[in-house]
Amino acid sequence: MTIGLTHYLVLASAIFLTGLSGVLVRRNSLIVLMSIELMLCAGNIVFAAFSRWLGDASGHVFVLMSFAVAAAEAAIGLAILVEIHRLRRSVNLDDLKTLTE
């Protein structure tokens, strides 16, 4: 049995749905950031699978650029959360709603 495009798409959709459920259900901002990273990785799997299936390398280049953006997003997001934790002593999203007041 060979692994085809359908297998990669099913894997990516399962990872994406796991990340989506983490964003919608959890209230901890660190878990929300990790769930967003899961969703980005699922998108990268789809891009790489279609790139391989079509025989074109442009999808792989897009995946590498997406990894760079995801790493920068994670670093900046964690830095902001560390600073908020120092000020508020909490990273719960419900507690962070008071920042807009």
Side-chain angles (χ1 to χ4, degrees):
M1 182 173 114
T2 61
I3 297 176
L5 181 65
T6 308
H7 294 93
Y8 288 113
L9 295 179
V10 168
L11 174 68
S13 64
I15 292 173
F16 187 85
L17 288 176
T18 302
L20 184 64
S21 67
V23 168
L24 295 177
V25 173
R26 296 297 185 145
R27 295 290 86 195
N28 189 342
S29 57
L30 289 174
I31 294 177
V32 169
L33 279 177
M34 287 190 293
S35 298
I36 291 171
E37 291 293 327
L38 274 176
M39 293 166 65
L40 285 171
C41 286
N44 286 338
I45 290 172
V46 170
F47 282 128
F50 274 110
S51 178
R52 171 86 175 168
W53 185 61
L54 294 173
D56 188 16
S58 62
H60 295 293
V61 173
F62 191 77
V63 167
L64 288 174
M65 290 172 38
S66 176
F67 277 145
V69 170
E73 177 256 334
I76 291 171
L78 286 175
I80 290 171
L81 285 179
V82 165
E83 192 61 32
I84 289 173
H85 179 68
R86 285 183 185 167
L87 295 174
R88 298 276 180 159
R89 297 289 177 211
S90 175
V91 290
N92 192 1
L93 290 176
D94 294 331
D95 296 339
L96 299 180
K97 288 182 183 178
T98 60
L99 290 175
T100 61
E101 296 174 356

